[in-house]
Amino acid sequence: MLVDSHSHLDAPELDADRDAVLARARAAGVTRQVVPAVTAASWPKLRDVCAQEAGLFAAYGLHPMYLSEHRPGHLDELRMWIEGEKPVAVGECGLDFFVDGLDAETQQSYFDGQLRLARAFDLPVIVHARRAVDAVIASIRRIGGLRGVVHSFSGSPEQAKQLWQAGFLIGLGGPVTYERANRVRTLARTMPLDYLLLETDSPDQPDAGIRGQRNEPARLTEIRDVIAGLRDMAPDEIARVTTQNAERLFRLPSR
């Protein structure tokens, strides 16, 4: 059994055949998915999608790439959603210093607010950090009392170590399947398995086998197999350890 620790199953790209996507995931052994939100407007749909069947776990947050859609009052709304809906995490939240036009100070304000909510509710955070890993680490240290995952990690081994020491895991997905992705493949081969989560980031970040196509959670087996090959381990062992890691971080029921 596998846990997709980061799947945007509520995305419009999956509206036409979501039931079939879920069926393919189950057939591939992906029995649970953590589904993080990106905007306040998306929370009701995400809740409804996750109510479709067992094994879908919602997280609510405000993604930095959608900064123009966020309002300060959304942080108060997020507190109410957490209280009422009991998600498994806060997120997707974080910092993005790659996309032009995303004001860094405003991003930081929303990120800090969500980190404080995660700490207050004793929930993990699902963090987006693109060209912003050092700033994310600084925020985590400054707020304190946090745990979570930096998804689609692309930082250095030293940054990864700092995150582990701060109580955070590393999410790896499609990029690790590309032969030229030397840094992330080296990390996948050498990092302690206790800090690893598998993810697809569906419908984005397709693996090398479906380059340029829509991604979906069933492809998590490809990521598992590539990492197993890099580490010279059995795929079942990668599945076992990463599933336990996800259960521990998100406090998922064992299955």
Side-chain angles (χ1 to χ4, degrees), residues 3-103:
V3 177
D4 188 344
S5 66
H6 199 105
S7 164
H8 293 287
L9 191 64
D10 62 318
E13 294 92 329
L14 301 173
D15 284 350
D17 62 342
R18 187 171 288 109
D19 289 344
V21 168
L22 284 166
R24 285 191 289 270
R26 288 192 302 270
V30 183
T31 58
R32 287 172 287 179
Q33 300 176 42
V34 176
V35 186
V38 294
T39 64
S42 71
W43 298 343
K45 178 184 177 182
L46 189 149
R47 176 185 58 193
D48 294 345
V49 166
C50 288
Q52 282 187 278
E53 62 177 69
L56 304 178
F57 300 94
Y60 298 111
L62 303 166
H63 193 298
M65 285 180 59
Y66 299 85
L67 198 61
S68 65
E69 299 184 40
H70 305 333
R71 301 292 179 268
H74 288 164
L75 289 170
D76 292 330
E77 292 180 31
L78 180 56
R79 175 181 289 276
M80 291 187 290
W81 270 80
I82 294 170
E83 290 173 343
E85 300 298 330
K86 304 296 190 292
V88 298
V90 173
E92 182 173 354
C93 59
L95 300 172
D96 193 308
F97 297 160
F98 174 75
V99 176
D100 289 337
L102 298 177
D103 181 74

Side-chain angles (χ1 to χ4, degrees), residues 2 153 170-178 184-193 195-200 207 219-239 241-242 245:
L2 289 162
F153 183 79
I170 299 297
L172 297 182
V176 78
T177 66
Y178 290 82
V184 71
R185 286 167 73 92
T186 297
L187 181 64
R189 184 172 61 249
T190 59
M191 68 176 285
L193 274 183
Y195 297 107
L196 175 64
L197 293 180
L198 304 183
E199 63 170 66
T200 62
D207 61 80
R219 301 297 297 183
L220 197 68
T221 57
E222 300 297 318
I223 295 155
R224 174 203 62 193
D225 292 350
V226 166
I227 293 175
L230 289 169
R231 299 182 70 98
D232 195 22
M233 294 177 64
D236 285 351
E237 182 64 8
I238 298 294
V241 176
T242 57
N245 294 345

